[in-house]
Amino acid sequence: MERQYTRLDEARNIIDPIIKGIRDEESKRGAYVHLYGVGLMASLIALKRGYSREIAELAEIAGMLHDLLTYVDRTEDTDDHAHKCADYAKEYVLKHLNSFSDEELDMIYYGIYNHSDKHVKGHWFDEIIKDADAAQHALRNPMEDYFYQRPRIQQVLDEII
Ligand SMILES: [Fe+2]
């Protein structure tokens, strides 16, 4: 069977050149590890919660975009980074996607926009992105106490493991 070209490929065709264009090698490495990692976790969590593969695809894209600006521009103030990353994603990626409805693009946008609000429970789609972000940080180094002690880690690990 031939490999399908999916909507995720459409998104990656825009996201990957942005990551490849990051000049600082350490930022580029961080972008690949964290953004792809959160995308994968978001897809896993979406499916584990019983959502469709279409939703998992949207979650994967939101995960890949959720911190992109912070790697592209290291000088950006990290305060308020979620909102800035959402606006960056809209301008440079979401606006250029043709296969998604406005509602789907809004879900991705708000998933990014709200991902720093980890102390509150919000829309179910936003929760997927927050939990994926938390889980990626914890699982990339299981012996690092700093991330394990963060709220929501134990809950999400209990859910997915
Ligand atoms: Fe993140």
Side-chain angles (χ1 to χ4, degrees):
M1 198 163 88
E2 217 172 286
R3 198 185 165 275
Q4 288 166 267
Y5 181 83
T6 66
R7 300 197 300 173
L8 184 61
D9 293 310
E10 184 193 356
R12 283 197 175 140
N13 281 345
I14 301 176
I15 298 167
D16 275 338
I18 296 175
I19 298 177
K20 278 184 193 152
I22 296 173
R23 292 228 191 95
D24 179 65
E25 283 303 317
E26 200 46 41
S27 296
K28 189 187 292 192
R29 187 190 71 85
Y32 278 123
V33 171
H34 186 55
L35 300 178
Y36 270 80
V38 173
L40 191 68
M41 289 304 308
S43 175
L44 185 151
I45 292 168
L47 295 173
K48 182 81 186 176
R49 291 182 183 169
Y51 295 109
S52 66
R53 287 161 64 198
E54 284 83 1
I55 293 295
E57 182 180 55
L58 299 179
E60 172 104 29
I61 295 168
M64 292 194 64
L65 290 170
H66 82 288
D67 278 339
L68 181 57
L69 174 63
T70 63
Y71 294 104
V72 169
D73 186 355
R74 278 293 188 195
T75 61
E76 270 289 342
D77 190 355
T78 49
D79 282 354
D80 204 27
H81 83 277
H83 300 170
K84 287 177 183 162
C85 284
D87 288 339
Y88 177 84
K90 184 186 257 181
E91 186 63 30
Y92 291 96
V93 180
L94 302 179
K95 262 190 186 175
H96 309 283
L97 296 175
N98 301 313
S99 332
F100 297 82
S101 68
D102 288 346
E103 195 192 350
E104 289 172 323
L105 294 174
D106 275 355
M107 276 173 73
I108 297 171
Y109 176 82
Y110 284 108
I112 303 165
Y113 189 89
N114 293 319
H115 86 264
S116 286
D117 302 335
K118 295 197 176 57
H119 51 289
V120 290
K121 260 207 183 306
H123 187 273
W124 60 266
F125 185 81
D126 301 351
E127 290 305 305
I128 294 172
I129 310 309
K130 292 181 207 176
D131 286 341
D133 194 15
Q136 197 277 340
H137 279 300
L139 291 173
R140 66 176 282 280
N141 189 345
M143 288 304 290
E144 192 178 349
D145 292 335
Y146 175 75
F147 287 111
Y148 265 85
Q149 284 157 3
R150 287 205 169 169
R152 65 168 72 228
I153 289 289
Q154 211 47 60
Q155 221 176 327
V156 69
L157 293 184
D158 287 347
E159 182 188 350
I160 62 178
I161 294 169

